[in-house]
Amino acid sequence: MSDLNIFYSRLAMVGIIMLLGLFLGKIRWISESTNKQLINILLLVAMPAALFSAFPADFDQAALSNFLFGLGAGALVLGALAILGKLLFNKHTLKNTSRYSRNESQFALIFNNAAFLGLPLVLTIFGPEAMMPYCGFIIPFNLGLFGYGVYLMQGKFDRKLFISTLLNPNIIAVALGAAFFILPVALPEILTMSVSSVAGMMTPLSLICIGYMLSRADLKKLIKKKRLFITALVQLTIGPLATFGILYLLGAPADVRNILVLIQALPTATSLGLFAEKYGGDPISASELVVISTILSIVTLPIMLGFLMTW
């Protein structure tokens, strides 16, 4: 996308919807239990529908190439960030910190909010054609999240959990979408229209939920968390810069490169807090890191994208 005015106007629209969620949270029209229920609907119903409906009805070689490029580039970028995380967040650079704290910072660098916030932003800013490389990217992202991400949190590799990841609704949705895209099989129009309608919930509802999460933040306590601020700033700047550099050197198409840079410029994954609670980490610290990253991204996201998309 060459017109930055269009980019910023669409990003402003995203911000307005998030502010709506923040306002609804402040006046308590949305409760914690309601927000959790909405998130479950979004991740288990609306997002799979959006990923499935992202594939064109008719086979197209260019669309397939974008899907495969997103898959390969995503795996390469995530692998590079895993190595970078080891170099930036270790016992020498983060002195007097626990193994868990260092692994928490590595997790934050590698895995961002690619699913919950990434899908609506990619769709809103770049349009439906951007969904093909995104669908490719989400496969190595989910596999890495429930493989290496769990390893960072609990200190061991859980093969059963990794296998169960293959049954994740979003992985299944991408697999089914790719199968119907490649094979000469068409679903009934009433079914495709229904899936597309359900997918339409993803963007507004997810942004409202993010706004609600921000409404619950205690900024007075967060301002004292130096390590968390450093981790968030590194994740929001080094992540997209490294992604841009890798894909630029590989000669990736500009549109695909911009989409993956956008994904890596997003705040860290909300699943960090859930993983910390489930695998014996520090859920309070993890949740604070997610909130700090989300708040800082309001400033860093347009700056990073505005700079990198001009190349």
Side-chain angles (χ1 to χ4, degrees):
M1 182 184 295
S2 58
D3 192 343
L4 288 180
N5 290 327
I6 296 176
F7 163 73
Y8 284 120
S9 65
R10 291 179 177 177
L11 193 60
M13 182 190 73
V14 168
I16 290 172
I17 299 176
M18 288 177 64
L19 285 175
L20 173 61
L22 188 150
F23 174 73
L24 294 176
K26 288 294 186 182
I27 64 174
R28 301 192 180 281
W29 279 21
I30 300 177
S31 66
E32 185 67 25
S33 60
T34 300
N35 191 61
K36 288 181 178 179
Q37 291 172 338
L38 287 175
I39 290 174
N40 283 332
I41 293 173
L42 287 167
L43 293 181
L44 300 178
V45 179
M47 186 173 180
L51 291 172
F52 179 84
S53 60
F55 289 86
D58 300 316
F59 179 79
D60 179 77
Q61 184 62 47
L64 178 61
S65 297
N66 283 338
F67 171 78
L68 294 175
F69 207 105
L71 191 153
L76 182 62
V77 167
L78 291 172
L81 290 177
I83 297 173
L84 189 60
K86 288 285 187 182
L87 296 174
L88 294 176
F89 303 115
N90 53 61
K91 61 183 179 181
H92 301 294
T93 57
L94 292 179
K95 298 179 180 179
N96 301 320
T97 58
S98 65
R99 181 196 64 82
Y100 171 78
S101 295
R102 296 191 294 270
N103 286 0
E104 179 186 80
S105 294
Q106 291 178 37
F107 184 105
L109 175 64
I110 305 166
F111 303 109
N112 52 31
N113 214 332
F116 191 54
L117 182 57
L119 189 149
L121 273 180
V122 168
L123 188 60
T124 301
I125 295 175
F126 294 106
E129 64 276 5
M131 288 301 295
M132 288 301 286
Y134 176 84
C135 286
F137 170 85
I138 208 66
I139 293 177
F141 177 84
N142 275 323
L143 293 177
L145 178 64
F146 289 96
Y148 188 63
V150 171
Y151 168 77
L152 287 174
M153 290 293 101
Q154 67 176 5
K156 62 180 181 179
F157 181 76
D158 192 331
R159 185 173 299 179
K160 290 183 179 180
L161 181 60
F162 181 75
I163 293 175
S164 70
T165 305
L166 300 177
L167 301 178
N168 183 291
N170 297 310
I171 296 293
I172 294 175
V174 171
L176 289 175
F180 281 103
F181 170 61
I182 296 173
L183 299 174
V185 179
L187 291 175
E189 184 177 0
I190 185 66
L191 186 57
T192 57
M193 290 175 61
S194 299
V195 173
S196 296
S197 296
V198 173
M201 297 189 300
M202 186 67 200
T203 297
L205 282 184
S206 62
L207 295 175
I208 287 174
C209 288
I210 292 290
Y212 167 80
M213 294 175 191
L214 292 176
S215 74
R216 301 274 74 88
D218 189 340
L219 298 181
K220 292 181 180 180
K221 292 182 179 179
L222 295 180
I223 201 70
K224 301 177 182 179
K225 308 287 185 175
K226 182 179 179 182
R227 179 185 67 83
L228 301 185
F229 270 94
I230 293 175
T231 297
L233 283 173
V234 169
Q235 178 251 324
L236 293 168
T237 55
I238 301 300
L241 286 171
T243 301
F244 176 86
I246 292 170
L247 298 182
Y248 184 83
L249 292 175
L250 290 176
D255 289 344
V256 176
R257 186 181 68 218
N258 288 338
I259 291 166
L260 266 66
V261 167
L262 165 63
I263 291 173
Q264 294 305 326
L266 297 174
T268 194
T270 53
S271 57
L272 174 57
L274 300 176
F275 277 30
E277 185 169 0
K278 183 174 183 179
Y279 300 113
D282 184 351
I284 295 178
S285 172
S287 298
E288 288 174 340
L289 178 53
V290 172
V291 172
I292 290 172
S293 179
T294 302
I295 293 174
L296 291 179
S297 70
I298 297 174
V299 177
T300 61
L301 181 62
I303 292 176
M304 294 301 298
L305 294 183
F307 171 70
L308 295 177
M309 287 172 58
T310 57
W311 285 68

